[in-house]
Amino acid sequence: MQPGQDERAATQNIAMWGAAGCGKTTFLAALDIALTQVDGDWKVVGADAGSTEVLTDLTRSLADRRQFPRATGEAIERYKWYLIGNRPVRTGRFPRRRTVVAESRIGLDLIDAGGEQFERGRVIGRRLLDNLVQSRGILYLFDPIREYEKGDAFENLHGMLAQLSQRMVAAGTFPGGRLPHHLAVCVTKFDEVSVLKTADSIGVLGVDPDDTRGFPRVLEDEDAERLFESLCGVSASGNAELVLRKLKKFFHQDRIRFFVTSAIGFHLPPGTNRFDPRDYQNLVPAPGGYQIRSGVRPINVMEPLLWLAQSLSADQQG
């Protein structure tokens, strides 16, 4: 195999990236739940027996046991799933072009690498770096609670971009001086009190009129970016504002989209199906750690993956 051949043969892989404790495994566990809870045809299906078993265990842990899945350690976990659903497709030639509904099967080869792979002074695992090079979609999870306490988002980001960019430049796949990937930036733990209060304080909260529960959300892309920038301003290291600048320098801006997410969502008091601003925290202290109070109601978990998948599909259609 010639140098750079893997880089040029990129497929529809979507790579997951984030520091230790940012909620990667929990995010994956919430995906199946989120797709089940909404109307529509999209579903996630394992591509092999091992991935199906993992998907089942992750979902059971979060939905039935109300426990967070175990965090990934040093190993690199690989999940091979498909997102299967229907999407509109333009067919024919002008003036007879028309839109039809076609079945879509989009491969999700998600690599969940333990956050330790990104820690200071460590080289990114070879398998993970290879997956990033071969992917054209990246799901980047930003944990504002971790950043407030440890402040290592930029340190982790900088090392990954340096190695990834080196590989892409060598392969001749650095168009316009930027990476070719679509990047979904996900602010996690929206259900945390401090994150919700920050969103409220900068005036980016809204309510989806179709949501009968009245959950607060950050509805606009630019507002999600504003919240991300605001949360970077309370980093323990004081340099998290460099994260946004770095992303915009290395990725095409029209290929970056921001999402505000929660894997578990908000608590709903017994006997009601409406959000109560006086009692909404779904994760509470318990003997030995924390527990989820009521049902799991993911917020913006499927949307980043569907956006990435649809963007990759559009790229293939030209």
Side-chain angles (χ1 to χ4, degrees):
M1 181 176 293
Q2 296 298 317
Q5 185 172 338
D6 279 347
E7 287 84 339
R8 295 189 181 95
T11 66
Q12 285 191 323
N13 291 353
I14 295 176
M16 177 171 280
W17 164 37
C22 72
K24 297 183 296 297
T25 309
T26 304
F27 194 98
L28 291 173
L31 175 61
D32 189 32
I33 299 172
L35 289 170
T36 302
Q37 288 179 340
V38 299
D39 295 331
D41 295 323
W42 288 100
K43 58 190 70 71
V44 60
V45 178
D48 52 55
S51 296
T52 298
E53 182 179 358
V54 167
L55 176 62
T56 301
D57 289 345
L58 290 174
T59 304
R60 182 184 300 119
S61 177
L62 201 60
D64 296 339
R65 306 187 192 112
R66 296 183 183 177
Q67 297 174 347
F68 288 107
R70 62 175 180 82
T72 307
E74 291 290 333
I76 297 179
E77 307 275 0
R78 189 165 195 156
Y79 304 116
K80 298 181 181 179
W81 299 337
Y82 291 116
L83 272 177
I84 299 176
N86 294 322
R87 61 183 176 84
V89 176
R90 296 281 287 172
T91 64
R93 295 184 179 182
F94 182 82
R96 294 178 175 164
R97 287 184 65 86
R98 62 194 181 96
T99 300
V100 298
V101 175
E103 179 182 317
S104 182
R105 178 180 297 186
I106 302 168
L108 296 178
D109 190 358
L110 299 184
I111 299 292
D112 182 17
E116 292 80 0
Q117 297 284 342
F118 297 108
E119 294 296 340
R120 298 176 179 84
R122 310 261 328 248
V123 177
I124 297 176
R126 175 73 184 187
R127 288 175 57 196
L128 176 58
L129 180 57
D130 286 346
N131 183 254
L132 289 168
V133 169
Q134 294 169 22
S135 76
R136 286 300 177 266
I138 296 177
L139 187 74
Y140 173 64
L141 302 186
F142 175 81
D143 179 353
I145 306 302
R146 177 189 174 93
E147 188 59 23
Y148 177 77
E149 295 173 349
K150 296 191 174 183
D152 57 358
F154 178 72
E155 186 74 21
N156 294 322
L157 175 77
H158 177 70
M160 188 281 288
L161 282 180
Q163 296 181 70
L164 178 58
S165 299
Q166 175 189 343
R167 290 276 297 272
M168 302 304 281
V169 168
T173 50
F174 206 68
R178 296 175 190 269
L179 293 165
H181 304 70
H182 294 274
L183 177 71
V185 180
C186 299
V187 177
T188 65
K189 300 183 180 177
F190 183 50
D191 55 283
E192 289 278 352
V193 173
S194 58
V195 179
L196 188 64
K197 285 186 174 180
T198 300
D200 188 33
S201 69
I202 63 173
V204 298
L205 287 184
V207 177
D208 185 342
D210 294 328
D211 183 3
T212 59
R213 300 167 301 186
F215 279 173
R217 290 176 179 262
V218 179
L219 299 173
E220 304 297 331
D221 293 349
E222 58 269 26
D223 288 341
E225 181 178 345
R226 282 183 58 204
L227 178 59
F228 175 74
E229 189 171 14
S230 181
L231 292 168
C232 284
V234 293
S235 166
S237 63
N239 65 4
E241 70 276 3
L242 297 175
V243 171
L244 183 58
R245 290 182 176 272
K246 201 81 171 179
L247 293 176
K248 289 188 173 182
K249 281 185 178 293
F250 278 79
F251 294 90
H252 294 275
Q253 292 194 31
D254 61 353
R255 292 189 168 213
I256 305 174
R257 188 171 174 185
F258 293 81
F259 299 85
V260 180
T261 73
S262 168
I264 63 173
F266 298 108
H267 169 69
L268 290 178
T272 180
N273 198 39
R274 291 286 297 178
F275 175 81
D276 184 349
R278 300 164 299 180
D279 183 22
Y280 61 82
Q281 198 164 6
N282 207 12
L283 185 66
V284 295
Y290 290 86
Q291 71 176 20
I292 300 170
R293 292 175 67 191
S294 56
V296 175
R297 307 171 186 90
I299 297 172
N300 257 7
V301 168
M302 65 176 184
E303 288 82 354
L305 283 169
L306 290 178
W307 173 74
L308 285 171
Q310 290 163 357
S311 297
L312 296 177
S313 179
D315 284 351
Q316 284 199 334
Q317 293 180 22

